[in-house]
Amino acid sequence: SYKSTKMLLFLLTLLSILFNVRAQIRLVGGSSPSSGRVEVYHNSEWGTICDDGFNRAAANVICRQLGFGQVINFFNAEEGSGKIWLDNLYCTGSEEDITKCTSNGSDLQWGVNDCIHLEDVGISCSVNEDNKNASVRLVGGSDNASGVVFIQQNNIWVPQTVNTTTANSYCKQLGFSAVSEIDWSYSSGFIFCQKVRLVGGDSKLNGKVEMFYDNKWGSVCGFAEKSSADMICHELGFTKSLFTYNSFGKSNESSLFTVSCSKSTNRFNDCEFTSTTDCSDLHVVCTNDDDDGDDKDQLRPISGHKIFSIFIAFIAWGALLYCVCSRCYNQREKRERRPIIGYPMV
């Protein structure tokens, strides 16, 4: 339930604080989870770090603490708000945590600075291939596609506050196409990743339809109404569908789902899905063109069976034409070879 989910998240957050004596750090406002303004949690409040005296060694400590690789660069970030917790942060680069570093020439002096938020520091970290998926998880949702974002820091899972940009990045790291919704009633943001995707196409506008259902990806098969195809394209950020078609023959995917959407359904995720073992994969072609054109009624779903029937009909007509022409040619040849009365046949 909603209350039990919030209680679980509260307990997880409390445990992460009690057992994590290291400073909590996050990157905010960047184009990905591995880049952004550095913020540190102290005295129950998030605050920034001033760029005075900040060096690459300190940036490397922070990147490593967040579970990323080496620092790519550090920079003046978009200005934050609230406290500026640290100034003249100095690290040698060997520290496991910034609490082992110094500020203003001595042990960390929280809140002691002569900076303004225009001097907030930001960093960009490299991403280790091994950590792209393992270091991020969603907690508290009904499945692995929804929940509060937790990042693993030094073997401890710490909740993260998200924005639209970072939520998209987290969903993509977990194998989803994008974020579909964020519930801001949670202080850190409760995200729902997009559970439909197109794969195997020659562009992002088309491909085989796959659905994340029962915590696994499976192919959607059978036929889809135009309204269902439009929902798929709309949820993926496109304006509408152009047409659908089915693969030849039976699908070789291990997980297959047929879909049924009622007229009152507004989201493809809310349609009814039924497991099956015998059908062909559904493909959708989407467009970003808002102009329906004069021939919009001519766009119809095309099935692989129809294409196959057309192909067989073409072969049949070709064979019939060959037989007719061969018969005509043979009869003509016989007439030409028939002997004229009174003359022997050569």
Side-chain angles (χ1 to χ4, degrees):
S1 67
Y2 186 81
K3 289 184 178 180
S4 61
T5 298
K6 279 203 164 186
M7 179 59 70
L8 173 63
L9 293 173
F10 172 77
L11 291 174
L12 287 171
T13 304
L14 181 61
L15 288 172
S16 69
I17 293 173
L18 289 176
F19 291 100
N20 186 8
V21 295
R22 300 177 175 88
Q24 293 187 57
I25 297 179
R26 66 184 184 185
L27 302 180
V28 179
S31 58
S32 72
S34 60
S35 177
R37 181 178 64 250
V38 180
E39 293 191 354
V40 60
Y41 193 74
H42 177 71
N43 198 22
S44 301
E45 186 176 352
W46 287 101
T48 62
I49 297 176
C50 182
D51 64 358
D52 290 349
F54 193 84
N55 60 12
R56 179 171 290 271
N60 267 323
V61 172
I62 294 173
C63 287
R64 189 165 57 248
Q65 186 176 340
L66 289 171
F68 299 116
Q70 295 293 308
V71 63
I72 298 174
N73 66 313
F74 57 96
F75 49 86
N76 281 112
E78 180 181 353
E79 60 182 292
S81 60
K83 297 285 189 180
I84 300 176
W85 279 127
L86 296 172
D87 186 18
N88 290 302
L89 180 67
Y90 176 78
C91 305
T92 64
S94 61
E95 296 86 353
E96 296 182 355
D97 182 85
I98 64 167
T99 57
K100 306 298 191 295
C101 302
T102 63
S103 67
N104 294 320
S106 61
D107 293 339
L108 292 185
Q109 299 180 11
W110 297 97
V112 179
N113 66 85
D114 57 356
C115 303
I116 59 176
H117 280 295
L118 288 173
E119 300 173 86
D120 289 341
V121 73
I123 64 173
S124 179
C125 307
S126 61
V127 179
N128 295 324
E129 291 294 327
D130 294 339
N131 292 337
K132 278 188 174 180
N133 295 326
S135 60
V136 179
R137 67 171 54 161
L138 302 179
V139 176
S142 59
D143 57 21
N144 293 340
S146 61
V148 171
V149 177
F150 275 69
I151 286 185
Q152 191 177 31
Q153 298 181 8
N154 298 309
N155 297 320
I156 296 176
W157 291 95
V158 180
Q160 301 294 302
T161 300
V162 301
N163 55 37
T164 303
T165 301
T166 56
N168 264 316
S169 297
Y170 287 131
C171 285
K172 289 179 180 179
Q173 285 188 53
L174 292 168
F176 303 99
S177 56
V179 64
S180 63
E181 184 182 348
I182 302 178
D183 182 357
W184 296 113
S185 65
Y186 291 77
S187 58
S188 56
F190 191 102
I191 72 174
F192 297 84
C193 295
Q194 185 58 260
K195 296 198 287 186
V196 62
R197 65 185 183 185
L198 301 179
V199 299
D202 56 7
S203 76
K204 64 180 181 180
L205 290 167
N206 61 82
K208 182 179 69 174
V209 182
E210 289 190 344
M211 187 71 187
F212 190 77
Y213 184 78
D214 196 22
N215 281 330
K216 59 185 176 182
W217 286 103
S219 292
V220 176
C221 61
F223 299 98
E225 298 292 336
K226 181 68 165 62
S227 57
S228 300
D230 283 341
M231 277 192 289
I232 294 172
C233 293
H234 182 71
E235 289 188 27
L236 291 173
F238 310 119
T239 55
K240 61 179 181 179
S241 66
L242 284 179
F243 59 87
T244 67
Y245 65 95
N246 293 93
S247 302
F248 289 118
K250 182 179 176 180
S251 174
N252 58 4
E253 296 290 336
S254 58
S255 299
L256 296 172
F257 308 105
T258 57
V259 59
S260 175
C261 303
S262 64
K263 293 183 178 180
S264 60
T265 304
N266 296 320
R267 301 196 325 163
F268 189 70
N269 290 344
D270 296 332
C271 298
E272 293 185 5
F273 296 89
T274 305
S275 297
T276 185
T277 57
D278 186 14
C279 62
S280 54
D281 296 325
L282 173 67
H283 295 247
V284 170
V285 178
C286 303
T287 180
N288 275 324
D289 187 5
D290 289 323
D291 184 11
D292 290 337
D294 296 329
D295 59 345
K296 63 180 180 180
D297 292 332
Q298 298 177 8
L299 296 173
R300 293 290 185 268
I302 302 175
S303 71
H305 300 291
K306 288 184 179 179
I307 297 175
F308 184 73
S309 299
I310 294 172
F311 177 75
I312 294 299
F314 178 81
I315 296 298
W317 276 104
L320 179 61
L321 183 62
Y322 175 80
C323 292
V324 171
C325 292
S326 297
R327 182 181 179 85
C328 292
Y329 177 81
N330 291 334
Q331 289 180 351
R332 180 181 177 183
E333 186 180 30
K334 287 180 180 179
R335 286 197 302 267
E336 290 178 350
R337 292 174 58 85
R338 185 177 301 164
I340 300 175
I341 297 176
Y343 292 89
M345 182 175 177
V346 180

